[in-house]
Amino acid sequence: MSLLEVKNLTVEFHTEEGVTRAVNNVSFSVDAGETVGLVGESGSGKSVTAYSILGLIPRPPGKITSGEILYKGQDLLKFSERELRGIRGNDISMIFQEPMTSLNPVFKVGYQIAEALMLHKGLNKTDAWNQAIKLMDQVGIPDPKRKAHAYPHEMSGGQKQRVVIAMAIACDPKLLICDEPTTALDVTIQKQVLDLISELQHLYKMGVLFITHDLAVIADIADDVIVMYKSNLVEQGKTKDIFEKAQHPYSKGLLSCRPGLEGNPKRLLTVSDFMDNSGNELKVSQERMKPFTKSYTHEEERNPVILKVDNLKTYFPIKAGFFRSTVGYVKAVDGVSFELRKGKTLGLVGESGCGKTTLGRTILRLEEPTEGTIQYGDISINELDKNDLRGIRSRLQIIFQDPYSSLNPRMTIGQILTEPMEIHGIGSNSKERLEKAEYLMGKVDLLPSHLSRYPHMFSGGQRQRIAIARALALNPEFIICDESVSALDVSVQAQVLNLLLDLQEEFDLTYIFISHDLSVVNFISDYVGVMYQGKIVEYGTADEVYHNPKMDYTKNLLSAIPKGIPKS
C-alpha cells in the first residue's frame, strides 16, 4: 500500500466569471522513503493539488468535485476539519514557498516551532522550547539558542527557510510536501536546503512530494516525476525515463528551455517551440538547438566604454545606544571598479548580501555612494545634483526583481507606461504617448488592448514584461536588471531572456544583469563579475569565469549548481 494515493482528483473554483477547473482527473502515488517531483508552470495546478491533500482549498470558491485522497488507505476527503487538524503538521507537513509569509512576524521563531510540539505532541512549554532549539540545530541554523529568540525579519532568507523546515519536521511526519521551497534562494543555500531535506528524509523515512518548476532540481532529488499542464497530468514516470525520452511535447519544452553551463542556442527554446496553443507537437529544427559560442574578438575597436566605475564604496552606518550614535558601518559595496562597453551585458553574481543590488542601485544613485566615481559616457553621475540627475534618468533605467510590488496597483497599464513619458516630455500629447504604449506592448509580446487592465490581472511573466516595457518607454541606453527573472517559471524565464536579448540587439542596449542564478547569467552575459562581501573577487568573459574560475569562492558557487542529471 502506498503512503499517499491520489485518485482521479478534480478541483474547481466557482467565481463570478464562471467555473475554472484547476485540477482535472489527476492520479498519482507517493511511497514511504520516496521523492516524487511535481513539475509544471504557474497555473498548471501543482499547488492546488498539494493544498487539496491537506484540506487547505478555500471553500468557497474552491470545491473538490471528485476523486479520492488516500493516506495509509484512509480517504482524507471524508475527514472532518477537526480530524484534519490532527493530521496537518503531525502526519503530513508542508514547507511553503515563501517563508516570510508562512512565519508569524510577531512571534519569535523558537516559539513558532515549539507551538507545533505543544499542540501535537503534548509537550510542556519548557520541553517544547528545548526541542525547538535541537531542531534548529539539526537544520543547520548557527547559534540556535540565540536565534530561537529572533523574530523572522531578523533572519536571512536561507535561515527563515530552515526555520520553516524545522517546523515541518518537528512532529516526525510521514509525508512532507515541499511547495517550491528553494525557488528564490541562492544556489549555495539551495544546495544546503536540498541536502538537508534529503538527510531528513532518510532519517525519518519520509515520503516527499516536491513541487517545483526547476527540472534541474528534480533531476537531482526525485525518484519519479509528474508533469502537469493546464490542470492535467500529461506525463509521469521514473525521473531518468522522463529526462532521457520524454513523450509529451510540453515535457520536452520544459527540459529544453533551461539554460545550461556547457553551451546554449543563440536563443533559448521555449515550450511554444515544441507545441502550439492546441497542444499539437511541433518539430524543432536542429539549427535552433545548435549551441552558440560567443565571440570576444576586437572588442576595443567595436564598442566604446559607456560605463566606468572606479573604487566605488557604499557604506551604511550601524547605530546603537540611546543617542543612536554610529558604532560601525556595513560595507555593502567596498571598493568596486570595472568598465562596461556599449551594447554588452555584465552579469553580477553572488550570494544574498554580497552587495549586487546595492551596487546596481548606487550606479543609478538610488543609493548615495560613500566614495568613488561613476562615469557614464562623459557624465560624472556621482557629481550630479538632484535636478541634473533627474534629467538623465530617462537614459538609465532599472527593472526590479518583483514586478508586482514595482507596478502601482491603482493604475492601469496604460497609465503606468505613459506617466514616465509625460514626466520626461516624451510625446507631444497624450495620443502620441498612448500610441507609443501600444507599440511597446507589442514589443514585449502583449496585446495593446491590455492597456486598460490593472497589474493584478496579469501573470508573473506578463507583469515582468510590463516592467520591461515601462523601462523602454523612455528610450534608455542602459538598463539594470535586478533579479528580473529569478521567480519566473523556466519556460517564462526563457521567453523573458530571449526578449531582453532581442531588445538589446534592436536598440543597442547595455545591461547589468544581477542574479544568483549562474546558469542564467552565463547565457545572457558577455562579462561576469563575481561579488563577495562587497567586492568583485573575479571578473572576466563568461567563458573565462565559468570554465576556468580562479577563486575558490567562484568554484564553490559553480559546484553548487544542480547538475540536472537524473538518478540512475
Side-chain angles (χ1 to χ4, degrees), residues 45-290:
K46 308 186 303 291
S47 293
V48 174
T49 300
Y51 291 166
S52 300
I53 295 167
L54 287 170
L56 296 176
I57 298 294
R59 304 182 217 181
K63 184 180 180 183
I64 297 175
T65 56
S66 66
E68 297 176 295
I69 300 174
L70 304 177
Y71 173 68
K72 293 183 175 179
Q74 295 182 293
D75 191 355
L76 296 180
L77 297 181
K78 295 178 180 178
F79 279 36
S80 66
E81 178 61 26
R82 185 171 182 176
E83 289 172 319
L84 280 175
R85 281 198 206 108
I87 293 285
R88 294 184 197 126
N90 194 20
D91 287 70
I92 305 175
S93 278
M94 189 164 185
I95 302 170
F96 294 94
Q97 180 172 357
E98 177 46 64
M100 195 62 198
T101 56
S102 56
L103 292 172
N104 193 320
V106 302
F107 290 110
K108 295 174 180 178
V109 295
Y111 172 78
Q112 296 189 56
I113 299 170
E115 184 182 31
L117 293 162
M118 289 186 284
L119 180 66
H120 290 293
K121 296 296 186 184
L123 299 184
N124 61 45
K125 194 171 183 179
T126 302
D127 290 342
W129 181 266
N130 291 333
Q131 181 62 21
I133 291 171
K134 287 181 183 178
L135 285 163
M136 290 178 70
D137 183 48
Q138 188 177 356
V139 298
I141 295 174
D143 195 3
K145 286 186 178 180
R146 184 176 63 85
K147 283 291 188 181
H149 292 277
Y151 291 92
H153 72 274
E154 297 177 308
M155 307 183 83
S156 70
Q159 288 175 339
K160 285 196 286 277
Q161 192 63 283
R162 288 167 183 269
V163 170
V164 173
I165 293 171
M167 291 172 65
I169 64 165
C171 299
D172 305 336
K174 304 297 182 293
L175 175 66
L176 183 64
I177 300 172
C178 306
D179 186 10
E180 302 271 13
T182 63
T183 296
L185 297 181
D186 298 327
V187 65
T188 49
I189 302 298
Q190 173 181 264
K191 187 175 189 305
Q192 291 170 16
V193 169
L194 293 175
D195 288 345
L196 174 62
I197 290 171
S198 180
E199 288 170 16
L200 296 171
Q201 178 184 24
H202 289 107
L203 182 63
Y204 295 109
K205 301 293 187 290
M206 293 185 298
V208 174
L209 179 63
F210 198 99
I211 301 168
T212 184
H213 60 253
D214 192 335
L215 282 146
V217 169
I218 286 296
D220 278 12
I221 66 168
D223 302 296
D224 294 305
V225 177
I226 302 162
V227 183
M228 290 190 70
Y229 175 66
K230 290 186 176 179
S231 79
N232 293 293
L233 194 160
V234 295
E235 191 161 5
Q236 63 179 318
K238 292 294 179 186
T239 305
K240 195 171 189 296
D241 294 339
I242 298 290
F243 272 70
E244 291 180 356
K245 46 188 177 185
Q247 300 300 309
H248 197 276
Y250 179 69
S251 305
K252 295 177 183 177
L254 282 183
L255 288 166
S256 302
C257 62
R258 172 76 178 159
L261 294 179
E262 297 305 322
N264 294 290
K266 194 168 184 179
R267 292 291 183 271
L268 289 173
L269 295 166
T270 65
V271 169
S272 60
D273 291 311
F274 289 84
M275 59 187 289
D276 61 22
N277 292 331
S278 301
N280 300 313
E281 186 166 5
L282 302 173
K283 187 169 180 60
V284 184
S285 71
Q286 290 300 310
E287 189 62 31
R288 281 292 318 274
M289 303 181 76
K290 192 176 177 182

Side-chain angles (χ1 to χ4, degrees), residues 301-369:
E301 300 170 18
R302 285 208 305 259
N303 301 86
V305 172
I306 195 171
L307 177 68
K308 185 174 181 180
V309 174
D310 187 37
N311 196 35
L312 189 63
K313 298 178 181 179
T314 308
Y315 294 175
F316 298 105
I318 301 169
K319 304 285 188 180
F322 182 78
F323 294 104
R324 307 299 295 163
S325 56
T326 300
V327 296
Y329 291 91
V330 174
K331 298 180 180 182
V333 178
D334 191 18
V336 167
S337 301
F338 66 87
E339 293 182 352
L340 179 58
R341 295 186 175 275
K342 184 173 176 60
K344 295 298 177 181
T345 301
L346 167 63
L348 288 178
V349 299
E351 297 170 288
S352 293
C354 70
K356 307 186 300 292
T357 294
T358 304
L359 174 57
R361 291 175 63 87
T362 304
I363 290 169
L364 297 182
R365 287 276 301 276
L366 298 175
E367 300 286 355
E368 288 299 326

Side-chain angles (χ1 to χ4, degrees), residues 374-545:
I374 309 161
Q375 191 74 22
Y376 181 78
D378 57 355
I379 301 168
S380 295
I381 292 178
N382 52 291
E383 295 177 0
L384 297 179
D385 61 26
K386 287 186 178 179
N387 287 331
D388 291 335
L389 190 60
R390 193 177 294 117
I392 70 158
R393 285 279 186 227
S394 61
R395 299 169 64 183
L396 314 172
Q397 288 291 298
I398 185 168
I399 303 167
F400 294 100
Q401 179 172 359
D402 182 1
Y404 194 70
S405 61
S406 64
L407 300 175
N408 191 326
R410 301 176 70 179
M411 295 172 70
T412 65
I413 303 309
Q415 292 169 330
I416 286 169
L417 295 184
T418 57
E419 181 190 44
M421 298 184 215
E422 188 174 352
I423 291 171
H424 287 273
I426 294 175
S428 56
N429 53 52
S430 58
K431 184 173 181 292
E432 280 189 17
R433 287 189 280 271
L434 187 61
E435 286 174 353
K436 180 162 186 179
E438 290 174 345
Y439 165 77
L440 289 170
M441 289 292 276
K443 278 292 168 193
V444 298
D445 202 23
L446 292 173
L447 297 176
S449 59
H450 290 167
L451 287 171
S452 60
R453 296 185 180 183
Y454 290 87
H456 73 273
M457 303 167 78
F458 294 87
S459 69
Q462 288 173 325
R463 284 197 292 267
Q464 196 61 279
R465 289 169 180 271
I466 292 164
I468 293 170
R470 182 178 61 180
L472 293 171
L474 299 177
N475 306 321
E477 304 160 356
F478 172 76
I479 300 177
I480 292 179
C481 306
D482 186 10
E483 297 278 11
S484 53
V485 299
S486 62
L488 300 180
D489 297 327
V490 285
S491 55
V492 179
Q493 183 184 83
Q495 293 168 12
V496 172
L497 290 172
N498 288 340
L499 172 63
L500 288 170
L501 287 176
D502 291 339
L503 294 170
Q504 182 175 43
E505 190 173 323
E506 181 174 351
F507 298 109
D508 198 21
L509 297 171
T510 306
Y511 293 142
I512 288 182
F513 193 91
I514 299 169
S515 180
H516 63 255
D517 191 325
L518 283 85
S519 301
V520 167
V521 169
N522 178 51
F523 168 70
I524 200 169
S525 301
D526 300 293
Y527 301 93
V528 174
V530 181
M531 287 197 71
Y532 177 64
Q533 294 185 350
K535 300 177 184 291
I536 291 183
V537 296
E538 187 151 358
Y539 186 92
T541 67
D543 284 344
E544 288 170 350
V545 172

